[in-house]
Amino acid sequence: MKKILISFLMVLLVAVSANAQKVYKANSSYTSDVICNISNGKVYKKNSSYTSDVVCTIRDNKIYRGTSTYNSDVIYTIRDNKIYKGNSSYTSDIVYNIQNSQLYKGNSTYQSDILVTLRKGKVYKGRSSYQSDVLFNIAGDVTIAEFVALYWVVNYAW
């Protein structure tokens, strides 16, 4: 009975890991270059699926630190393609703005304020489309909230 239970748990762990969308360094798709992975609204370190390795949680268009869903642990709130600091909804607290697959500084839509561009799962520096300017790539489709969480993890969580 114990062997059956362990086998079942191993199959379940593999199934959960298979559903995870992985984020790789630059253009890589090697397992050793996984930065983080996202599964069931949680972003985990590297290839982990352990609760202790949750970097942030995504819930109701909010991104929280770790496994928390407390208001005091909100990193960003996403509303109408605008990313606000913490729980705020004030224009002065807009950190990023997403338009046409591009992430802008603050509430700007000026080309000079483009931080990154998302094209076919690859995140390029600024407006670039050069392979050498790929910062990271995402294996699979993500929501705006998931993208913002991944961007935060890649840039600020380490």
Side-chain angles (χ1 to χ4, degrees):
M1 182 65 168
K2 186 175 181 180
K3 285 184 179 183
I4 292 171
L5 181 59
I6 290 172
S7 295
F8 174 74
L9 290 175
M10 291 301 288
V11 169
L12 184 61
L13 181 61
V14 168
V16 168
S17 296
N19 289 334
Q21 293 167 296
K22 298 183 187 305
V23 176
Y24 298 90
K25 295 177 190 173
N27 278 313
S28 180
S29 59
Y30 294 114
T31 303
S32 60
D33 287 334
V34 172
I35 299 170
C36 60
N37 75 84
I38 187 166
S39 179
N40 298 321
K42 297 191 184 314
V43 179
Y44 297 86
K45 294 177 186 175
K46 305 244 179 214
N47 279 310
S48 180
S49 59
Y50 295 111
T51 303
S52 61
D53 288 333
V54 172
V55 181
C56 63
T57 300
I58 305 154
R59 186 178 191 200
D60 299 328
N61 284 325
K62 293 187 180 195
I63 300 165
Y64 300 85
R65 292 186 190 281
T67 58
S68 176
T69 54
Y70 292 115
N71 282 334
S72 60
D73 290 325
V74 174
I75 301 167
Y76 297 125
T77 299
I78 295 107
R79 246 185 236 114
D80 301 323
N81 294 343
K82 307 230 187 278
I83 296 85
Y84 298 84
K85 182 173 51 175
N87 262 327
S88 180
S89 60
Y90 295 112
T91 305
S92 61
D93 286 333
I94 295 174
V95 180
Y96 304 115
N97 173 22
I98 295 180
Q99 300 293 324
N100 302 320
S101 299
Q102 294 178 313
L103 184 71
Y104 294 83
K105 287 186 226 174
N107 201 20
S108 175
T109 55
Y110 292 117
Q111 289 191 10
S112 61
D113 288 334
I114 296 172
L115 297 171
V116 295
T117 300
L118 178 64
R119 272 190 207 97
K120 298 181 182 177
K122 295 184 180 192
V123 179
Y124 296 86
K125 182 179 179 181
R127 297 177 15 200
S128 179
S129 60
Y130 293 114
Q131 292 301 312
S132 61
D133 286 336
V134 174
L135 301 172
F136 60 95
N137 73 81
I138 306 165
D141 295 329
V142 292
T143 65
I144 289 175
E146 290 171 334
F147 174 75
V148 171
L150 294 173
Y151 183 78
W152 179 78
V153 167
V154 168
N155 287 292
Y156 303 110
W158 271 273

